[in-house]
Amino acid sequence: MLPRTQNAPLSAPEPTPPHDKHAGHDHASGGPFGEKSELIFAILAGVFLAIGWLLQWREIGPDWLPTALYIAAYLFGGWFTAIEAFENLRERRFAIDTLTLVAAIGAAALGKWAEGALLLFLFSIGHSLEHYAMGRARKAIEALAELAPDTAIVRRDGNTQTIPVAELQLGDVVIVKPNERLPADGVVVVGTTSVNQAPVTGESVPVDKRATSDAKAALAAFDKLGAEFRVFAGTINGSGSIEVMVARRAEQSTMARVVKMVTEAEAQRSPTQQFTERFERIFVPSVLVLVVILLFAGFVIDEPFAATFYRAMAVLVAASPCALAISVPSAVLSGVARAARGGVLIKGGGALENLGSLTSIAFDKTGTLTEGKPKLTDAVPAPGVTEDELLAVALAVEEQSDHPLALAVVSGARERLADRIKPATVADVKSITGRGVQALVDGQTVHIGKPVLFSELSDSALPAAVEEANKQLVANGRTTMVVRQGSRFLGVLGVMDTPRPVAAQVMAELRELGIKQLIMISGDNQQVADAVAKTVGLTEARGDLMPEQKVEAIQKLRAEHGKVAMVGDGVNDAPAMANATVGIAMGAAGSDVALETADVALMADDLAQLPFAVGLSRSSSRIIKQNLWVSLGVVVVLIPATIFGLGIATAVLFHEGSTLVVVVNALRLLAYRGKPMTRAS
């Protein structure tokens, strides 16, 4: 059967593409029985058909009674079919409903009341059951729109009042009690809590939240705000009571935008949908020409016109591409809906199919494969120096600096020393631009900086042991700092933007899913890129790339491997993502740029969502292919079978059965699980 337009989600109307010749008319809420009218009418048609056939078979009652019951079956089975056929004709569309009605009228004209009633009964029951099944996929999307509450408690002019969420203004402060859903995207200004963000980002673990110290500045930079300060509409507050300053109006919230984009995604044509539509534009007229030719078969073979007309009607039923028309849209809709429920926004069938068929993925390094902030990974003391002594001096000096590398040293040294060493006295701290820092520690001059710094100072050549340790760390992708106190070298510190804990597991899962090339493109030097690639299990790393060179790298990868996905943050990587077959943005929740530019958006800043997205797309591609084989296969078998004598009843049974098979097969995607996701820490 062909899809009928469903009731749209509350927060974003679902578009029906004007060019979609398969779009039907919604009878879901019409009739005496409300939204179940079509199903009840179909069941009544089946009841009258069964009783009439039983009376005719057992020769019970007057001769006219079975025919009267078949006519009743016609009335109930053909009611909605006739309404839709006339609507299609009024709009100059010749659709499957019209073909079915013509075939049923033709059967009645031939006195084949039972077969005509069976045709209308199966067509109607199939249509109503498909209507229910497709409704399930759309309801998975509508459920997203219903997550945000209808009202919010807002603090205005020193008073609290409950108002509709739609009336919230930017800068309003709303009060969110424990275990309540948040009414708007905003910034925490009072209180601490943990928030279940699974409805928006798919994260399985609640995220801790705390108040920001500068609400207005946080509001202005909402996209770039840390996860601990930012909250989203539709997420669930934990045990703490908080106050949130509204950053976006209801219709602009992340949840509302996701719902809108998911509903719009249904209208985006995938490559397979474009193929099936081109096929149908040729196939349907060809079938109509064939039926007209068959009506003149009596001039070639010796048979009555009634038999010729019956055969032509049977071919009309067999050749109607109902299953073909619904096979791809049902799979795309189910796949997109399941992805959205798991915190992944896939913008249409094109992105879904492409992600499901590619074998190469390119990754940005910083913030994607790595944490995006450096950590102290190595402390190699010089001969005769303890690690504690090296770290204590480094900690004392670097505590006076706010440089990112200094912060990494301070954090790592504190963790390793664990208060075993008393703080040293530091004075006269001076920055040496581009080289390092100088200070007095316990009365002795201390230098901490790049190895090149010591080649520029007098009498400070690196000892062989220190130089060898430095070379080894650099070879392993570390950024190094040498520490010297007075004339004595204490050792070398290694700092690195460390890979995400889940990165290696994610790469292994992607390889299991059939991704053969896992490539990193990075602006960092090649040694750092190679070190990260080796740690997480990439197949290739390309370093020392400027932004425009990243675009060239993606174009080259597409030339080498065909389809290529690019994973980044959707901001700095936007040009490279735009040149990839599929652009995938991480941490897209709350990011306008990422939501707008990416083909696929991982709402959480969690690399573990990527295998879920790829696995779901793989399953969607398989189901789309299965549905095409079933729908085309049935048509290919039924057309010659009806030409050579297969009856309408048998043809419609196989025809409607294949339609339900492809819909049920597509709905399996709603239950897709993949591997459990874990939040990257």
Side-chain angles (χ1 to χ4, degrees), residues 315-354:
V315 170
L316 263 184
V317 173
S320 299
C322 293
L324 182 63
I326 197 64
S327 61
V328 182
S330 59
V332 169
L333 177 61
S334 298
V336 168
R338 175 64 187 96
R341 211 170 67 225
V344 177
L345 173 59
I346 298 179
K347 296 183 183 177
L352 186 72
E353 281 195 45
N354 284 329

mmCIF file of all heavy atoms in Angstrom, residues 315-354:
data_model
loop_
_atom_site.group_PDB
_atom_site.id
_atom_site.type_symbol
_atom_site.label_atom_id
_atom_site.label_comp_id
_atom_site.label_asym_id
_atom_site.label_seq_id
_atom_site.Cartn_x
_atom_site.Cartn_y
_atom_site.Cartn_z
ATOM 1 N N VAL A 315 -3.861 -8.205 -14.205
ATOM 2 C CA VAL A 315 -2.541 -7.615 -14.457
ATOM 3 C C VAL A 315 -2.446 -6.239 -13.795
ATOM 4 O O VAL A 315 -1.395 -5.871 -13.250
ATOM 5 C CB VAL A 315 -2.266 -7.526 -15.968
ATOM 6 C CG1 VAL A 315 -1.008 -6.701 -16.244
ATOM 7 C CG2 VAL A 315 -2.118 -8.913 -16.564
ATOM 8 N N LEU A 316 -3.539 -5.467 -13.827
ATOM 9 C CA LEU A 316 -3.548 -4.161 -13.158
ATOM 10 C C LEU A 316 -3.207 -4.302 -11.677
ATOM 11 O O LEU A 316 -2.412 -3.547 -11.126
ATOM 12 C CB LEU A 316 -4.935 -3.512 -13.290
ATOM 13 C CG LEU A 316 -5.153 -2.498 -14.398
ATOM 14 C CD1 LEU A 316 -6.546 -1.910 -14.295
ATOM 15 C CD2 LEU A 316 -4.114 -1.406 -14.349
ATOM 16 N N VAL A 317 -3.828 -5.291 -11.032
ATOM 17 C CA VAL A 317 -3.572 -5.513 -9.608
ATOM 18 C C VAL A 317 -2.133 -5.967 -9.395
ATOM 19 O O VAL A 317 -1.423 -5.470 -8.513
ATOM 20 C CB VAL A 317 -4.550 -6.566 -9.046
ATOM 21 C CG1 VAL A 317 -4.169 -6.933 -7.614
ATOM 22 C CG2 VAL A 317 -5.977 -6.036 -9.095
ATOM 23 N N ALA A 318 -1.671 -6.910 -10.224
ATOM 24 C CA ALA A 318 -0.335 -7.490 -10.032
ATOM 25 C C ALA A 318 0.776 -6.466 -10.250
ATOM 26 O O ALA A 318 1.807 -6.514 -9.579
ATOM 27 C CB ALA A 318 -0.151 -8.669 -10.982
ATOM 28 N N ALA A 319 0.562 -5.547 -11.195
ATOM 29 C CA ALA A 319 1.639 -4.641 -11.578
ATOM 30 C C ALA A 319 1.676 -3.357 -10.764
ATOM 31 O O ALA A 319 2.611 -2.565 -10.922
ATOM 32 C CB ALA A 319 1.503 -4.299 -13.063
ATOM 33 N N SER A 320 0.695 -3.120 -9.923
ATOM 34 C CA SER A 320 0.704 -1.884 -9.137
ATOM 35 C C SER A 320 1.885 -1.901 -8.171
ATOM 36 O O SER A 320 2.007 -2.810 -7.351
ATOM 37 C CB SER A 320 -0.605 -1.760 -8.350
ATOM 38 O OG SER A 320 -1.694 -1.703 -9.236
ATOM 39 N N PRO A 321 2.786 -0.886 -8.239
ATOM 40 C CA PRO A 321 4.034 -0.932 -7.457
ATOM 41 C C PRO A 321 3.874 -0.426 -6.026
ATOM 42 O O PRO A 321 4.621 0.420 -5.561
ATOM 43 C CB PRO A 321 4.953 -0.001 -8.263
ATOM 44 C CG PRO A 321 4.019 1.011 -8.844
ATOM 45 C CD PRO A 321 2.734 0.286 -9.126
ATOM 46 N N CYS A 322 2.890 -0.962 -5.314
ATOM 47 C CA CYS A 322 2.658 -0.515 -3.933
ATOM 48 C C CYS A 322 3.867 -0.806 -3.040
ATOM 49 O O CYS A 322 4.368 0.071 -2.345
ATOM 50 C CB CYS A 322 1.438 -1.217 -3.349
ATOM 51 S SG CYS A 322 -0.100 -0.759 -4.137
ATOM 52 N N ALA A 323 4.313 -2.068 -3.039
ATOM 53 C CA ALA A 323 5.422 -2.455 -2.167
ATOM 54 C C ALA A 323 6.680 -1.685 -2.525
ATOM 55 O O ALA A 323 7.447 -1.275 -1.647
ATOM 56 C CB ALA A 323 5.666 -3.960 -2.277
ATOM 57 N N LEU A 324 6.899 -1.450 -3.828
ATOM 58 C CA LEU A 324 8.078 -0.705 -4.254
ATOM 59 C C LEU A 324 8.024 0.732 -3.750
ATOM 60 O O LEU A 324 9.024 1.282 -3.289
ATOM 61 C CB LEU A 324 8.171 -0.726 -5.783
ATOM 62 C CG LEU A 324 9.379 -0.017 -6.397
ATOM 63 C CD1 LEU A 324 10.665 -0.696 -5.969
ATOM 64 C CD2 LEU A 324 9.259 0.029 -7.919
ATOM 65 N N ALA A 325 6.836 1.328 -3.810
ATOM 66 C CA ALA A 325 6.699 2.720 -3.400
ATOM 67 C C ALA A 325 6.944 2.915 -1.912
ATOM 68 O O ALA A 325 7.482 3.933 -1.490
ATOM 69 C CB ALA A 325 5.308 3.230 -3.775
ATOM 70 N N ILE A 326 6.556 1.926 -1.102
ATOM 71 C CA ILE A 326 6.663 2.086 0.355
ATOM 72 C C ILE A 326 7.948 1.486 0.909
ATOM 73 O O ILE A 326 8.339 1.772 2.047
ATOM 74 C CB ILE A 326 5.436 1.441 1.051
ATOM 75 C CG1 ILE A 326 5.291 1.940 2.490
ATOM 76 C CG2 ILE A 326 5.530 -0.075 1.036
ATOM 77 C CD1 ILE A 326 5.001 3.404 2.596
ATOM 78 N N SER A 327 8.661 0.674 0.125
ATOM 79 C CA SER A 327 9.795 -0.089 0.654
ATOM 80 C C SER A 327 10.911 0.796 1.191
ATOM 81 O O SER A 327 11.416 0.571 2.292
ATOM 82 C CB SER A 327 10.344 -1.026 -0.428
ATOM 83 O OG SER A 327 10.810 -0.267 -1.539
ATOM 84 N N VAL A 328 11.316 1.831 0.438
ATOM 85 C CA VAL A 328 12.422 2.689 0.877
ATOM 86 C C VAL A 328 11.976 3.731 1.898
ATOM 87 O O VAL A 328 12.618 3.887 2.940
ATOM 88 C CB VAL A 328 13.110 3.355 -0.332
ATOM 89 C CG1 VAL A 328 14.280 4.206 0.134
ATOM 90 C CG2 VAL A 328 13.593 2.300 -1.311
ATOM 91 N N PRO A 329 10.857 4.468 1.655
ATOM 92 C CA PRO A 329 10.438 5.460 2.664
ATOM 93 C C PRO A 329 10.209 4.875 4.049
ATOM 94 O O PRO A 329 10.549 5.495 5.053
ATOM 95 C CB PRO A 329 9.136 6.024 2.089
ATOM 96 C CG PRO A 329 9.233 5.794 0.620
ATOM 97 C CD PRO A 329 9.989 4.511 0.469
ATOM 98 N N SER A 330 9.653 3.667 4.116
ATOM 99 C CA SER A 330 9.393 3.066 5.427
ATOM 100 C C SER A 330 10.696 2.757 6.154
ATOM 101 O O SER A 330 10.817 2.973 7.366
ATOM 102 C CB SER A 330 8.555 1.790 5.275
ATOM 103 O OG SER A 330 9.221 0.848 4.451
ATOM 104 N N ALA A 331 11.717 2.281 5.420
ATOM 105 C CA ALA A 331 13.007 1.980 6.037
ATOM 106 C C ALA A 331 13.728 3.259 6.459
ATOM 107 O O ALA A 331 14.314 3.329 7.542
ATOM 108 C CB ALA A 331 13.875 1.173 5.069
ATOM 109 N N VAL A 332 13.685 4.285 5.605
ATOM 110 C CA VAL A 332 14.336 5.559 5.937
ATOM 111 C C VAL A 332 13.694 6.183 7.162
ATOM 112 O O VAL A 332 14.379 6.638 8.093
ATOM 113 C CB VAL A 332 14.275 6.521 4.733
ATOM 114 C CG1 VAL A 332 14.688 7.932 5.146
ATOM 115 C CG2 VAL A 332 15.165 6.023 3.606
ATOM 116 N N LEU A 333 12.356 6.218 7.176
ATOM 117 C CA LEU A 333 11.644 6.808 8.306
ATOM 118 C C LEU A 333 11.971 6.069 9.598
ATOM 119 O O LEU A 333 12.254 6.690 10.631
ATOM 120 C CB LEU A 333 10.138 6.770 8.049
ATOM 121 C CG LEU A 333 9.239 7.292 9.178
ATOM 122 C CD1 LEU A 333 9.549 8.749 9.473
ATOM 123 C CD2 LEU A 333 7.778 7.119 8.820
ATOM 124 N N SER A 334 11.975 4.746 9.565
ATOM 125 C CA SER A 334 12.265 3.957 10.765
ATOM 126 C C SER A 334 13.709 4.163 11.218
ATOM 127 O O SER A 334 13.982 4.300 12.414
ATOM 128 C CB SER A 334 12.011 2.468 10.489
ATOM 129 O OG SER A 334 10.659 2.236 10.174
ATOM 130 N N GLY A 335 14.645 4.189 10.262
ATOM 131 C CA GLY A 335 16.052 4.384 10.613
ATOM 132 C C GLY A 335 16.317 5.750 11.215
ATOM 133 O O GLY A 335 17.011 5.872 12.233
ATOM 134 N N VAL A 336 15.760 6.798 10.617
ATOM 135 C CA VAL A 336 15.954 8.156 11.122
ATOM 136 C C VAL A 336 15.324 8.308 12.504
ATOM 137 O O VAL A 336 15.897 8.942 13.397
ATOM 138 C CB VAL A 336 15.367 9.183 10.127
ATOM 139 C CG1 VAL A 336 15.296 10.573 10.746
ATOM 140 C CG2 VAL A 336 16.200 9.225 8.852
ATOM 141 N N ALA A 337 14.125 7.722 12.685
ATOM 142 C CA ALA A 337 13.450 7.810 13.982
ATOM 143 C C ALA A 337 14.239 7.085 15.063
ATOM 144 O O ALA A 337 14.392 7.589 16.182
ATOM 145 C CB ALA A 337 12.042 7.221 13.875
ATOM 146 N N ARG A 338 14.768 5.894 14.740
ATOM 147 C CA ARG A 338 15.550 5.145 15.738
ATOM 148 C C ARG A 338 16.833 5.884 16.088
ATOM 149 O O ARG A 338 17.244 5.916 17.261
ATOM 150 C CB ARG A 338 15.880 3.746 15.195
ATOM 151 C CG ARG A 338 16.789 2.931 16.112
ATOM 152 C CD ARG A 338 16.118 2.632 17.436
ATOM 153 N NE ARG A 338 17.008 2.009 18.395
ATOM 154 C CZ ARG A 338 17.677 2.665 19.349
ATOM 155 N NH1 ARG A 338 17.552 3.978 19.475
ATOM 156 N NH2 ARG A 338 18.445 2.008 20.196
ATOM 157 N N ALA A 339 17.469 6.477 15.099
ATOM 158 C CA ALA A 339 18.694 7.230 15.363
ATOM 159 C C ALA A 339 18.422 8.409 16.293
ATOM 160 O O ALA A 339 19.170 8.645 17.246
ATOM 161 C CB ALA A 339 19.291 7.723 14.045
ATOM 162 N N ALA A 340 17.343 9.143 16.032
ATOM 163 C CA ALA A 340 17.013 10.302 16.869
ATOM 164 C C ALA A 340 16.757 9.884 18.304
ATOM 165 O O ALA A 340 17.141 10.580 19.248
ATOM 166 C CB ALA A 340 15.792 11.017 16.294
ATOM 167 N N ARG A 341 16.133 8.728 18.474
ATOM 168 C CA ARG A 341 15.864 8.245 19.839
ATOM 169 C C ARG A 341 17.159 7.873 20.549
ATOM 170 O O ARG A 341 17.222 7.886 21.775
ATOM 171 C CB ARG A 341 14.935 7.029 19.762
ATOM 172 C CG ARG A 341 14.012 6.887 20.961
ATOM 173 C CD ARG A 341 12.950 5.830 20.727
ATOM 174 N NE ARG A 341 13.504 4.496 20.638
ATOM 175 C CZ ARG A 341 13.174 3.602 19.722
ATOM 176 N NH1 ARG A 341 12.306 3.907 18.789
ATOM 177 N NH2 ARG A 341 13.717 2.399 19.719
ATOM 178 N N GLY A 342 18.210 7.566 19.789
ATOM 179 C CA GLY A 342 19.496 7.208 20.381
ATOM 180 C C GLY A 342 20.479 8.354 20.448
ATOM 181 O O GLY A 342 21.659 8.128 20.698
ATOM 182 N N GLY A 343 20.020 9.590 20.205
ATOM 183 C CA GLY A 343 20.906 10.737 20.310
ATOM 184 C C GLY A 343 21.736 10.994 19.066
ATOM 185 O O GLY A 343 22.771 11.656 19.126
ATOM 186 N N VAL A 344 21.276 10.500 17.907
ATOM 187 C CA VAL A 344 21.979 10.723 16.643
ATOM 188 C C VAL A 344 20.994 11.317 15.644
ATOM 189 O O VAL A 344 19.940 10.735 15.385
ATOM 190 C CB VAL A 344 22.561 9.409 16.078
ATOM 191 C CG1 VAL A 344 23.224 9.657 14.729
ATOM 192 C CG2 VAL A 344 23.562 8.801 17.056
ATOM 193 N N LEU A 345 21.324 12.478 15.101
ATOM 194 C CA LEU A 345 20.470 13.134 14.114
ATOM 195 C C LEU A 345 21.005 12.828 12.721
ATOM 196 O O LEU A 345 22.114 13.220 12.369
ATOM 197 C CB LEU A 345 20.458 14.649 14.359
ATOM 198 C CG LEU A 345 19.736 15.517 13.322
ATOM 199 C CD1 LEU A 345 18.275 15.111 13.214
ATOM 200 C CD2 LEU A 345 19.859 16.985 13.679
ATOM 201 N N ILE A 346 20.216 12.095 11.927
ATOM 202 C CA ILE A 346 20.585 11.768 10.548
ATOM 203 C C ILE A 346 19.636 12.521 9.629
ATOM 204 O O ILE A 346 18.423 12.337 9.700
ATOM 205 C CB ILE A 346 20.501 10.247 10.283
ATOM 206 C CG1 ILE A 346 21.482 9.502 11.197
ATOM 207 C CG2 ILE A 346 20.809 9.936 8.823
ATOM 208 C CD1 ILE A 346 21.453 7.990 11.036
ATOM 209 N N LYS A 347 20.209 13.366 8.776
ATOM 210 C CA LYS A 347 19.386 14.266 7.972
ATOM 211 C C LYS A 347 19.002 13.642 6.633
ATOM 212 O O LYS A 347 19.523 14.030 5.590
ATOM 213 C CB LYS A 347 20.116 15.588 7.757
ATOM 214 C CG LYS A 347 20.373 16.367 9.039
ATOM 215 C CD LYS A 347 21.033 17.687 8.712
ATOM 216 C CE LYS A 347 21.366 18.458 9.952
ATOM 217 N NZ LYS A 347 22.083 19.717 9.627
ATOM 218 N N GLY A 348 18.112 12.668 6.680
ATOM 219 C CA GLY A 348 17.543 12.149 5.454
ATOM 220 C C GLY A 348 18.116 10.848 4.959
ATOM 221 O O GLY A 348 19.120 10.332 5.454
ATOM 222 N N GLY A 349 17.434 10.312 3.937
ATOM 223 C CA GLY A 349 17.803 9.014 3.405
ATOM 224 C C GLY A 349 19.149 8.989 2.732
ATOM 225 O O GLY A 349 19.828 7.959 2.735
ATOM 226 N N GLY A 350 19.577 10.120 2.139
ATOM 227 C CA GLY A 350 20.884 10.150 1.484
ATOM 228 C C GLY A 350 22.009 9.899 2.459
ATOM 229 O O GLY A 350 22.880 9.059 2.225
ATOM 230 N N ALA A 351 21.987 10.628 3.590
ATOM 231 C CA ALA A 351 23.022 10.439 4.613
ATOM 232 C C ALA A 351 22.943 9.046 5.212
ATOM 233 O O ALA A 351 23.970 8.404 5.481
ATOM 234 C CB ALA A 351 22.873 11.494 5.705
ATOM 235 N N LEU A 352 21.720 8.540 5.421
ATOM 236 C CA LEU A 352 21.533 7.208 6.006
ATOM 237 C C LEU A 352 22.129 6.134 5.103
ATOM 238 O O LEU A 352 22.880 5.263 5.565
ATOM 239 C CB LEU A 352 20.037 6.954 6.237
ATOM 240 C CG LEU A 352 19.668 5.662 6.965
ATOM 241 C CD1 LEU A 352 20.042 5.748 8.432
ATOM 242 C CD2 LEU A 352 18.170 5.386 6.826
ATOM 243 N N GLU A 353 21.820 6.196 3.814
ATOM 244 C CA GLU A 353 22.331 5.186 2.885
ATOM 245 C C GLU A 353 23.838 5.311 2.671
ATOM 246 O O GLU A 353 24.554 4.309 2.610
ATOM 247 C CB GLU A 353 21.609 5.301 1.540
ATOM 248 C CG GLU A 353 20.235 4.662 1.531
ATOM 249 C CD GLU A 353 19.722 4.463 0.120
ATOM 250 O OE1 GLU A 353 20.497 3.988 -0.741
ATOM 251 O OE2 GLU A 353 18.554 4.794 -0.129
ATOM 252 N N ASN A 354 24.324 6.548 2.527
ATOM 253 C CA ASN A 354 25.760 6.739 2.294
ATOM 254 C C ASN A 354 26.589 6.266 3.476
ATOM 255 O O ASN A 354 27.614 5.606 3.311
ATOM 256 C CB ASN A 354 26.059 8.212 2.002
ATOM 257 C CG ASN A 354 25.652 8.617 0.601
ATOM 258 O OD1 ASN A 354 25.694 7.810 -0.319
ATOM 259 N ND2 ASN A 354 25.227 9.864 0.443
#
